Amino acid sequence: MLLADGTIVTGTAPSAVNPSVEVCHEIEPYAAAYRLNQGIKASICLHRHEDGRFLVLSPCGVCRERLAVHGPDVLVAVADREDATRIIWKSLRDVLPDYWMTAFPEELSDRW
C-alpha cells in the first residue's frame, strides 16, 4: 500500500493450523496506516502463481470496505481482463459505484 506521506507498507498472510484464524495480506498494511496515522492512497494485492507469475487480485469486498474509510479516490489495482499479470489502476469510486454508505451521508466518513 502507498500511504499519504509516500511510505510504502507491505503485508503477508502466514498459514495457520486452523484456517479460520488466518488473515489476508492487507491486514498488516491497514494496521500500519492506522498506527502511522496515515491515509491510504493506493493498494495492490499480488498472488504468486506456482509457475512464478504474479497475478493481480482485485480487492475483495472486505478490503473494499476497509479502503472506503480512506475515501473514493484511493487507487486499487485490478487485473487486466485479458492478462491477469497486468495491472489496471482504478479509483475505489469506480469499483464501488453504488457504495452502500452513501445512503447515510451523515454517517459517511469525511474522506468520502
Side-chain angles (χ1 to χ4, degrees):
M1 286 184 185
L2 175 65
L3 304 185
D5 69 355
T7 300
I8 295 173
V9 290
T10 62
T12 189
S15 297
V17 174
N18 179 350
S20 68
V21 299
E22 292 177 355
V23 296
C24 68
H25 293 82
E26 291 87 349
I27 294 292
E28 193 173 349
Y30 288 128
Y34 179 79
R35 184 176 57 254
L36 296 169
N37 196 29
Q38 290 292 314
I40 295 172
K41 291 292 184 187
S43 179
I44 184 171
C45 183
L46 299 174
H47 169 77
R48 185 174 36 220
H49 193 271
E50 292 174 0
D51 65 9
R53 295 178 302 141
F54 286 93
L55 305 177
V56 180
L57 302 180
S58 174
C60 73
V62 171
C63 285
R64 290 174 191 211
E65 287 294 326
R66 291 176 180 142
L67 288 167
V69 173
H70 297 273
D73 297 321
V74 172
L75 294 176
V76 295
V78 298
D80 180 272
R81 291 179 189 259
E82 295 180 19
D83 180 357
T85 65
R86 290 187 45 209
I87 300 166
I88 304 292
W89 290 101
K90 293 186 176 185
S91 71
L92 195 56
R93 177 183 290 109
D94 290 337
V95 297
L96 283 175
D98 302 306
Y99 182 45
W100 69 275
M101 275 299 293
T102 58
F104 304 98
E106 68 282 356
E107 296 179 34
L108 200 56
S109 164
D110 59 350
R111 294 180 185 170
W112 193 266

